[in-house]
């Protein structure tokens, strides 16, 4: 059990000085344990973010931190080259006395600590304005790292967006049917398999050499952006554990899947599920407004399809987990993963009906 004494002791390992005051748990994340810690120094409170990294998900946390430090320092250099301070626009991690950006506690727990960016906030749901600002944040992330040596990055989670593998795994789960649930979801199984080519075409384009690998974030929800508390303008991209080689279309697409759904991810009434084109356009405007010159034409052409691919991938993962007995995703009731899978399927189908409009919006802001 974590106590104030343990929290303070871990923070001291990262060279934090001043009088320890308190900590609070941040509950918005689902993978790592995150705490906001307060120290009093130089006449004012100083805030830090302390995280215990989930080493079940991230098998080699030291290499994950190597990715994070390399990428954040690269971005910091780019920002400083423009003549402005990078203090509020990129994460800054604390170093231990022996020059490391992490600390192992007595039980082998892996910890890291960063400065809290002053007067910042996150949003769990996005207005069109927040979607546009999120688009700017992830567009700048891509732009700053467009010339980063992507092959130097450690692959934190192998095959993370390998949609071909996701569907192969799904097919095996259907055949195994370990929980006897396949018969009751025959229609959903058939619908997903019918859309497999759409789900995998972006990944296949990368394998064919049409789309280049870039430094990608791989979890582009608006909740992974910090915004100014007063203006709501974007400040910094956060939650960088999944930074690794990937496709721009998948970062773009996952942001649309998560932020431009007119309903919740687990909405049971599928008549409420649709693509919010206003939010889609807002994100596209923000993203391409800063990143279009760093992308190839093939990448630009892949963006709309990337949204469909990420929605289908997420949905097929939910359905796979439902067939396997709900082992991966946490659920609140027995059919929760099935409801999620149906919702993603409905969203993907609506995207397909609006695909021409989605492409037109991309081309509008790519000019």
């Amino acid at each position: 059990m974590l106590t104030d004494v343990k929290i303070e002791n871990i923070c001291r390992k990262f060279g934090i000085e001043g009088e320890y005051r308190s900590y609070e748990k941040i509950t918005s994340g689902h993978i790592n344990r995150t705490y906001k810690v307060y120290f009093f120094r130089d006449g004012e409170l100083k805030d830090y973010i302390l995280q215990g990294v989930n080493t079940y998900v991230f098998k080699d946390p030291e290499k994950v931190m190597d990715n994070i430090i390399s990428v954040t320092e690269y971005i910091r250099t780019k920002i400083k080259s423009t003549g402005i301070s990078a203090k509020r626009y990129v994460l800054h991690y604390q170093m231990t006395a022996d020059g490391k950006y992490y600390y192992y506690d007595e039980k082998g727990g892996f910890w890291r600590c960063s400065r809290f960016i002053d007067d910042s906030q996150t949003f769990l749901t996005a207005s069109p304005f927040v979607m546009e600002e999120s688009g700017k944040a992830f567009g700048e992330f891509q732009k700053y790292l467009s010339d980063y040596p992507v092959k130097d990055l450690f692959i934190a989670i192998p095959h993370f967006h390998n949609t071909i593998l996701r569907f192969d795994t799904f097919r095996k789960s259907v055949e195994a049917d370990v929980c006897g649930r396949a018969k009751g979801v025959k229609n959903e199984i058939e619908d997903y398999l019918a859309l497999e080519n759409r789900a995998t075409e972006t990944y296949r384009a990368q394998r064919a050499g049409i789309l280049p690998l870039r430094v990608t974030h791989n979890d582009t929800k608006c909740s992974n952006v910090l915004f100014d508390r007063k203006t709501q303008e974007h400040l910094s991209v956060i939650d960088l554990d999944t930074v690794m080689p990937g496709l721009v279309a998948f970062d773009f697409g996952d942001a649309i899947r998560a932020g431009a759904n007119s309903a919740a991810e687990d909405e049971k009434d599928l008549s409420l599920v649709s693509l919010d084109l206003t939010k889609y356009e807002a994100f596209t405007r923000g993203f391409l407004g800063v990143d279009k010159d760093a992308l190839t034409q093939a990448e630009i052409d892949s963006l709309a399809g990337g949204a469909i691919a990420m929605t289908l991938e997420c949905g097929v993962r939910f359905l796979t987990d439902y067939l396997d007995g709900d082992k991966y995703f946490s659920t609140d009731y027995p059919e929760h993963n099935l409801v999620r899978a149906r919702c993603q399927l409905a969203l993907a189908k609506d995207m397909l009906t609006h695909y021409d409009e989605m492409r037109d919006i991309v081309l509008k802001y790519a000019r």
Side-chain angles (χ1 to χ4, degrees), residues 215-232:
V215 180
T216 48
H217 183 278
N218 294 297
D219 192 11
T220 49
K221 302 185 295 286
C222 68
S223 58
N224 283 333
V225 176
L226 292 180
F227 300 87
D228 185 274
R229 189 170 291 279
K230 295 178 181 178
T231 67
Q232 295 189 1

Side-chain angles (χ1 to χ4, degrees), residues 95-106:
M95 190 181 291
T96 63
D98 57 355
K100 296 178 180 177
Y101 289 97
Y102 55 86
Y103 165 72
Y104 286 99
D105 65 24
E106 67 280 1

Side-chain angles (χ1 to χ4, degrees), residues 181 264-270 318 321-322 325-327 329-343:
R181 290 175 165 180
E265 187 178 69
D266 54 1
E267 176 57 59
K268 294 181 180 180
D269 184 352
L270 299 183
F318 285 140
D321 201 33
Y322 175 74
D326 308 308
K327 294 179 179 180
F329 297 105
S330 61
T331 57
D332 295 329
Y333 51 91
E335 295 81 26
H336 201 173
N337 273 326
L338 175 59
V339 168
R340 290 164 168 161
R342 287 170 173 165
C343 185

Side-chain angles (χ1 to χ4, degrees), residues 308-324:
I308 297 169
M310 286 295 90
T311 304
L312 289 169
E313 182 201 70
C314 185
V316 86
R317 290 181 66 195
F318 285 140
L319 189 53
T320 300
D321 201 33
Y322 175 74
L323 293 170
D324 290 345

Side-chain angles (χ1 to χ4, degrees), residues 74-94:
Y74 202 86
I75 293 173
R76 195 182 327 278
T77 299
K78 287 288 186 75
I79 294 173
K80 286 183 176 180
S81 71
T82 67
I84 64 175
S85 170
K87 184 177 180 180
R88 300 188 74 209
Y89 302 109
V90 65
L91 295 177
H92 179 93
Y93 284 88
Q94 299 290 122

